[in-house]
């Protein structure tokens, strides 16, 4: 058991209690506010356990709170808590900083910029809250197989930072990374990560959902990024702003601009694509989120802007719903000239030598047929083989985009 909070600097007593705990044990914190003047480095196989909870309606927090002694202290710390050992968990703590200009709530591995760090393997955070830091948490140098479950990183500059030099395999389940100033997830310049999954994790209420540092010059980025039932809403800049990437699958969830009348007032929304991706060099990209019709951005030129590709298809499988002006822009997987939309119910043949992806959007459409067979949907992306046909039955003509499918 950790000592009770003193009201002053608790670092020495907590450090002593941690060092005295047996390997494989848990240091349990009482309710109350603890203050640290130094980084608490979890360098042994000893877990931390608190009792943090909250009342959402009253916006009240209860239980175990840990914070830097002062804002000046926070500026001098690598992180409030650093996880250096493997198989170590941090549970039930609320970490409160003093300023979004500095510091990390909880750091796994070494800090960004370090050449090497401890190989922090299969460590985790559960029921953790972090607010008032430059980043709520950091997937640091030489960290791998780190998981976050039911964590909330809100009120920081970035919710979660992924450092250059991480060792891949990051997962988030049932987390909330919203309400941060810049982004929910930030990938450091010239950094990459492989096998990153976000499941039922909420992003947004920020400028960006997922942002890769635009200063990136190397051919690295997200490789195998999977988002399942993870919405991105109320952003003022972009849902995704990625450089080199691939193997991206966004399934379920929804996207919403910060233009919904019932949403928070987050300021003006930029005239940017919802997602900027490229070059796509590491595998296909599939986006199957719902685009919320009551939260469009009429100034957004396109849903997806691709700056380059290497023979990997990009597929959007949901109707655009007026979410942006068009679906695609930029160098998108072998742009080809689209024929004019034919008269209603008139079949048009794909005369190209490769399959094409046809994205149908807008208009008043009652049916889409491929090779004479009803698809059962009235918009989205349809794959037409060479010599195959597509027909659209409508009372008001939709628009469409044709691109070569090189999958």
């Amino acid at each position: 058991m950790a000592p009770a909070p003193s009201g002053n600097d608790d670092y020495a007593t907590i450090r002593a209690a941690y060092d005295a705990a047996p390997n494989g044990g848990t240091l349990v914190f009482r309710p109350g506010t603890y203050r640290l003047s130094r980084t608490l480095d979890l360098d042994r196989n000893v877990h931390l356990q608190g009792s943090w909870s909250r009342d959402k309606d009253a916006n009240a927090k209860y239980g175990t709170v840990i914070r830097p002694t002062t804002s000046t202290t926070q500026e001098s710390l690598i992180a409030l808590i650093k996880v250096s050992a493997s198989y170590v968990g941090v549970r039930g703590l609320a970490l409160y900083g003093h300023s979004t200009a500095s510091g990390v709530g909880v750091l796994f591995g070494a800090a960004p910029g370090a050449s090497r760090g401890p190989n922090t393997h299969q460590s985790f955070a559960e029921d953790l809250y972090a607010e008032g830091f430059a980043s709520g948490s950091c997937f640091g140098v030489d960290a791998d197989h780190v998981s976050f479950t039911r964590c909330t990183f809100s009120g920081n500059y970035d919710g979660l930072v992924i450092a250059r030099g991480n060792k891949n395999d990051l997962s988030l389940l049932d987390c909330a990374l919203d309400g941060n100033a810049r982004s929910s997830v930030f990938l450091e310049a010239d950094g990459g990560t492989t096998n990153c999954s976000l499941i039922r994790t909420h992003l947004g209420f920020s400028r960006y959902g997922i942002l890769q540092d635009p200063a990136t010059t190397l051919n690295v980025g997200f490789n195998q990024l999977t988002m399942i039932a993870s919405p991105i809403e109320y952003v003022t800049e972009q849902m995704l702003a990625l450089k080199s990437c691939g193997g991206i699958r966004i399934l379920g969830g929804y996207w919403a601009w910060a233009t919904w009348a019932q949403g928070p007032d987050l300021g003006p929304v930029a005239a940017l694509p919802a997602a900027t991706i490229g070059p796509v060099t590491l595998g296909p990209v599939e986006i199957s989120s719902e685009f919320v019709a009551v939260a469009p951005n009429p100034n957004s030129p396109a849903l997806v802007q691709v700056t380059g590709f290497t023979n990997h298809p990009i597929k959007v499988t949901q109707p655009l719903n007026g979410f942006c002006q068009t679906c695609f822009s930029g160098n998108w997987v072998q742009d080809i000239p689209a024929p004019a939309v034919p008269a209603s119910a008139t079949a048009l043949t794909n005369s190209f030598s490769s399959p094409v992806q046809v994205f149908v959007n807008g208009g008043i459409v009652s049916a889409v047929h491929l090779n004479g067979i009803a698809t059962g949907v009235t918009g989205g992306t349809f794959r037409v083989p060479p010599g195959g046909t597509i027909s659209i039955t409508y009372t008001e003509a939709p628009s469409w985009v044709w691109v070569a499918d090189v999958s």
Side-chain angles (χ1 to χ4, degrees), residues 171-233:
S171 67
L172 295 95
L173 173 65
D174 290 325
C175 293
L177 279 67
D178 46 16
N180 299 287
R182 180 170 62 175
S183 71
S184 296
V185 178
F186 179 77
L187 179 58
E188 193 182 21
D190 291 330
T193 193
T194 298
N195 196 26
C196 176
S197 63
L198 292 82
I199 301 173
R200 296 194 305 273
T201 290
H202 201 287
L203 312 181
F205 291 79
S206 53
R207 289 169 55 201
Y208 296 90
I210 301 178
L211 171 65
Q212 184 173 0
D213 194 324
T216 294
T217 59
L218 301 179
N219 187 27
V220 293
F222 284 100
N223 182 6
Q224 307 305 316
L225 169 65
T226 301
M227 298 178 62
I228 299 176
S230 295
I232 307 176
E233 66 172 332

Side-chain angles (χ1 to χ4, degrees), residues 52 125-129 148-152 173-176:
W52 174 81
E126 296 177 354
D127 302 301
L128 185 72
Y129 182 90
F148 297 87
T149 305
R150 298 181 304 277
C151 293
T152 299
L173 173 65
D174 290 325
C175 293

Side-chain angles (χ1 to χ4, degrees), residues 313-358:
I314 300 171
K315 301 179 181 179
V316 176
T317 61
Q318 295 294 323
L320 196 55
N321 289 330
F323 193 71
C324 304
Q325 294 179 22
T326 62
C327 187
F328 302 107
S329 68
N331 187 6
W332 188 74
V333 191
Q334 295 186 359
D335 290 336
I336 55 179
V341 176
S344 176
T346 300
L348 190 144
T349 300
N350 173 19
S351 60
F352 294 96
S353 59
S354 65
V356 295
Q357 296 281 347
V358 180

Side-chain angles (χ1 to χ4, degrees), residues 78-79 82 104 107-118 138 140-141 163-164 188:
I78 296 173
K82 177 184 178 184
V104 179
L107 166 66
F108 290 84
S115 58
R116 292 297 304 274
C138 178
V141 177
R164 180 176 62 250
E188 193 182 21

Side-chain angles (χ1 to χ4, degrees), residues 85-132:
S86 297
Y87 308 103
V88 170
V90 180
R91 302 184 180 98
L93 300 177
L95 310 180
Y96 279 88
H98 297 275
S99 169
T100 59
S102 63
V104 179
V106 59
L107 166 66
F108 290 84
S115 58
R116 292 297 304 274
N119 181 208
T120 306
H121 176 75
Q122 287 198 349
S123 290
F124 57 90
E126 296 177 354
D127 302 301
L128 185 72
Y129 182 90
E131 174 185 326

Side-chain angles (χ1 to χ4, degrees), residues 1-6 8-20 27 29 34-36 40:
M1 177 73 71
S6 67
N8 297 303
D9 182 8
D10 298 296
Y11 175 80
T13 55
I14 292 175
R15 183 75 242 183
Y18 183 82
D19 290 342
L27 181 61
F29 286 79
Y34 293 83
R35 292 172 173 82
L36 302 180
L40 182 60

